[in-house]
Amino acid sequence: MPIKQANTPYPLIDSDPHAGRVVRYMRPSDYAVWAGSAAAAPALLLGWEKIDPTFSRGGTRSATRLLGFLGFCGGFMLAYQRSSFRFMGLSPNEPEVAKDQRELSARAAAGKPLYGESDLSEYLQGMAARNSTWSQLKMGLIPWFNLVNHNQHGVDTAKYGQKESSSS
């Protein structure tokens, strides 16, 4: 079953980017969002504690640590989603398009598989692709990352100089 083609306002780079590529392509603004979320959660708790103190004997140390961890995790998912949206063409992505063209053209010229090698069968690669394609749109419901190398990314690979097209 072919991957559904979506009309996006910006060029589609990859409808199912590998998690490693998403993190490698993060911008400094994504890291700022991640750090801001990690710092904002405990800061809000400490601010509320100043406004309406709980007067607990144990203090808020445990709650602050927990909120720091939750802010770190939530900030990562938000930064990951922002980077993924640029791959999917849902937000401005000119630098990512150029970087993707350079990276995958170099892999094609070297004779390497564009999206990496996998030990999984074609069927399992297809199943992994069907499960994770466009999953970044529901990151708040269930975090689902593409951790499988496969060739079903919704783009025509001929633009990278590869002889046969593997777009699905």
Side-chain angles (χ1 to χ4, degrees):
M1 173 185 246
I3 296 173
K4 179 180 165 87
Q5 296 297 322
N7 294 328
T8 58
Y10 302 98
L12 174 70
I13 299 172
D14 194 338
S15 62
D16 188 24
H18 192 277
R21 285 187 76 201
V22 173
V23 172
R24 275 197 332 264
Y25 280 52
M26 280 186 183
R27 293 180 180 177
S29 63
D30 296 328
Y31 289 110
V33 165
W34 187 358
S37 296
L44 285 172
L45 175 71
L46 295 175
W48 285 326
E49 185 65 23
K50 293 280 186 194
I51 293 169
D52 187 18
T54 59
F55 301 112
S56 69
R57 283 190 285 149
T60 58
R61 183 181 298 174
S62 297
T64 305
R65 287 179 184 164
L66 176 63
L67 284 175
F69 174 73
L70 293 176
F72 180 84
C73 293
F76 171 75
M77 288 192 293
L78 186 58
Y80 185 92
Q81 188 177 42
R82 288 169 45 104
S83 183
S84 295
F85 281 2
R86 288 190 291 274
F87 272 96
M88 293 185 226
L90 299 174
S91 59
N93 61 359
E94 294 84 18
E96 288 78 10
V97 169
K99 186 175 180 179
D100 174 70
Q101 184 68 34
R102 281 192 311 272
E103 180 182 337
L104 296 186
S105 294
R107 287 187 67 85
K112 296 179 181 177
L114 290 181
Y115 297 105
E117 296 179 8
S118 178
D119 294 333
L120 297 177
S121 68
E122 288 292 324
Y123 173 75
L124 289 177
Q125 289 178 34
M127 182 177 289
R130 288 186 296 276
N131 285 331
S132 62
T133 300
W134 304 106
S135 65
Q136 294 84 355
L137 296 173
K138 294 192 177 186
M139 189 66 75
L141 181 63
I142 181 169
W144 196 281
F145 306 99
N146 175 21
L147 301 175
V148 175
N149 290 324
H150 57 77
N151 63 355
Q152 300 178 20
H153 295 272
V155 294
D156 183 14
T157 57
K159 68 181 177 181
Y160 302 117
Q162 193 178 37
K163 291 180 182 162
E164 61 180 273
S165 178
S166 299
S167 68
S168 296

